[in-house]
Amino acid sequence: MAEEKPKNLWKEISAEWDGEDGYVALTSAGASVLMGKGKGGRPGIGPMHMLLAGLAGCTMMDIVEILRKKRQVPAEFKVVVRGKQRVDEYPYYFTDYQIEYRLWGDTLKEKDVAQAIQLSEEKYCSVGGTLSKSGPIRSSFQILKPVQSD
């Protein structure tokens, strides 16, 4: 008999305060991210920006993987994610999100890019699925020609 797949999994990070203005988030795999300000004033990412970064990374990973399967790999790929934050009372949470996808490539097909984005946004991106509970996520995309360097 096949083993039943679990319905839920816990994800975990730990965070450590540096004793000043910095906080370091650590994964069990050893990756780390600085939040606040590190020693010597080195800038870190704010927690709300980390949510936006998580959305950008999640959807980009999905899209690249889908486009690889279609043999439509972009030469470059950039995403800009914006969150509209409520600031009239605490807690200051996001109420709307915008994602702007920019892909560079000579052979990218608009239909394949649109489908990859749709699959990420509607099916695969767990971060988007989570954040969409607090507000709508709208997106747009552009396919651009790579810049030729001489």
Side-chain angles (χ1 to χ4, degrees), residues 16-25 32-47:
E16 299 174 1
W17 176 45
D18 71 3
E20 293 181 16
D21 295 323
Y23 307 85
V24 178
S32 65
V33 173
L34 172 65
M35 296 177 286
K37 290 182 189 167
K39 300 202 184 227
R42 184 171 56 107
I45 297 177

Side-chain angles (χ1 to χ4, degrees), residues 127-145:
V127 177
T130 301
L131 295 179
S132 68
K133 306 288 189 231
S134 68
I137 300 174
R138 296 175 183 84
S139 66
S140 63
F141 72 93
Q142 294 178 298
I143 299 173
L144 306 160
K145 296 292 180 195

